[in-house]
Amino acid sequence: QQQVKQSPQSLIVQKGGISIINCAYENTAFDYFPWYQQFPGKGPALLIAIRPDVSEKKEGRFTISFNKSAKQFSLHIMDSQPGDSATYFCAAMQTGTASKLTFGTGTRLQVTL
Amino acid sequence: DAGITQSPRHKVTETGTPVTLRCHQTENHRYMYWYRQDPGHGLRLIHYSYGVKDTDKGEVSDGYSVSRSKTEDFLLTLESATSSQTSVYFCAIRGGVSYNEQFFGPGTRLTVL
C-alpha cells in the first residue's frame, strides 16, 4: 500500500523554466511534509518542509504548495538550473510519534541548457 | 552529512551469508533509522531505534535485524542475505530545529549474488 503517490516519474525542463512535482497522500494523520533532493551516489538531503497549517512555503527558488482538502502537495522550482538536476522525493510523517517518514517513489529532474 | 558515517560503502556478498552494516553518528542523537532505496519504491523504512537497546520494526523489516548497544552506533544485520536484499541502504538520524527532520548518511550499496 503506497501512502504517498508522486508524479511525474521523470521530468525534463529547460534552464530558466519552472519544475513542478506533485504528491498525494492518503493518511490524514500526516502532519509534516518534507521534500528531499538526492544527487547520484549521495544520501537524500532535506530541501524544504511544510506543516498543514500553511498553504505555501517558499525558500529561495523552492516553493511548497499544500492543499489539505485535496490531500496534495507540490514542489515548484523556479528559474530551474542545471545544478538542480537530481532526484526529488516527497515524504510525509505523523509527528509526535517515532517520526517515521513515508516516501514517494521519486522524480528524476533533468534541467537542460 | 550531519556527522553520519556508514560502513562499508560498498559490499558484494553471496546468497546465504550474513552481512552487517554499520551506522555511526557523532552528535548523540536519540533516534536512528535504517532505510533501503530501490528503483520505483523510493525509500522504505526497515527498522528504527529510539534509544540504546530500544528498537522497532518499520515497513520492510522481514529478513533484517538491528542492534544498538551504544548511542552512536546502529547496526543492521542480514542474517542470511538474499538477492532481493540487493539495494542501497541509508541510515538517518532525527534532529533539526523542529526535531522532525531526518538527516541521511552517504549510503551503503549492497549486492547479493
Side-chain angles (χ1 to χ4, degrees):
Chain A
Q1 179 185 4
Q2 185 183 348
Q3 294 194 54
V4 179
K5 295 184 178 180
Q6 182 172 347
S7 63
Q9 187 174 7
S10 63
L11 181 62
I12 300 175
V13 174
Q14 279 196 325
K15 179 182 176 181
I18 302 173
S19 303
I20 302 174
I21 304 170
N22 300 299
C23 284
Y25 64 98
E26 300 170 4
N27 187 346
T28 55
F30 289 150
D31 58 356
Y32 176 76
F33 303 88
W35 284 89
Y36 284 82
Q37 179 188 57
Q38 185 180 31
F39 293 105
K42 304 292 186 181
L46 180 63
L47 189 61
I48 187 173
I50 197 168
R51 298 292 294 255
D53 52 342
V54 297
S55 60
E56 185 175 282
K57 183 175 182 180
K58 184 176 181 180
E59 289 185 3
R61 296 184 293 109
F62 300 91
T63 299
I64 300 178
S65 297
F66 188 85
N67 186 330
K68 188 175 181 178
S69 61
K71 293 189 288 185
Q72 295 175 347
F73 57 110
S74 59
L75 176 69
H76 296 236
I77 306 174
M78 311 300 288
D79 186 27
S80 298
Q81 299 297 312
D84 296 330
S85 297
T87 299
Y88 293 81
F89 293 94
C90 62
M93 172 199 294
Q94 179 182 355
T95 62
T97 57
S99 292
K100 295 182 286 186
L101 283 169
T102 299
F103 282 86
T105 52
T107 297
R108 180 172 291 185
L109 171 66
Q110 181 182 353
V111 181
T112 61
L113 294 172
Chain B
D1 290 334
I4 305 169
T5 57
Q6 293 185 232
S7 58
R9 295 294 314 278
H10 301 271
K11 186 171 182 65
V12 180
T13 190
E14 293 189 350
T15 297
T17 60
V19 176
T20 295
L21 308 183
R22 178 180 182 239
C23 177
H24 179 79
Q25 55 132 336
T26 60
E27 300 181 4
N28 205 35
H29 294 286
R30 179 184 171 196
Y31 281 82
M32 299 182 74
Y33 306 81
W34 276 108
Y35 292 87
R36 61 178 289 175
Q37 183 176 24
D38 305 288
H41 291 277
L43 290 95
R44 293 177 292 174
L45 182 65
I46 305 171
H47 282 280
Y48 67 97
S49 170
Y50 47 97
V52 172
K53 298 186 179 179
D54 292 321
T55 64
D56 205 349
K57 296 179 180 180
E59 177 186 357
V60 289
S61 60
D62 287 348
Y64 303 94
S65 63
V66 290
S67 65
R68 192 168 179 200
S69 59
K70 299 184 293 183
T71 299
E72 58 266 34
D73 288 327
F74 191 30
L75 304 180
L76 177 70
T77 297
L78 290 66
E79 300 290 348
S80 178
T82 67
S83 59
S84 65
Q85 294 175 312
T86 292
S87 186
V88 181
Y89 292 86
F90 289 100
C91 174
I93 58 90
R94 176 183 177 183
V97 175
S98 69
Y99 197 51
N100 291 316
E101 299 161 22
Q102 289 190 21
F103 302 95
F104 287 78
T108 294
R109 182 173 293 277
L110 175 67
T111 302
V112 183
L113 301 176

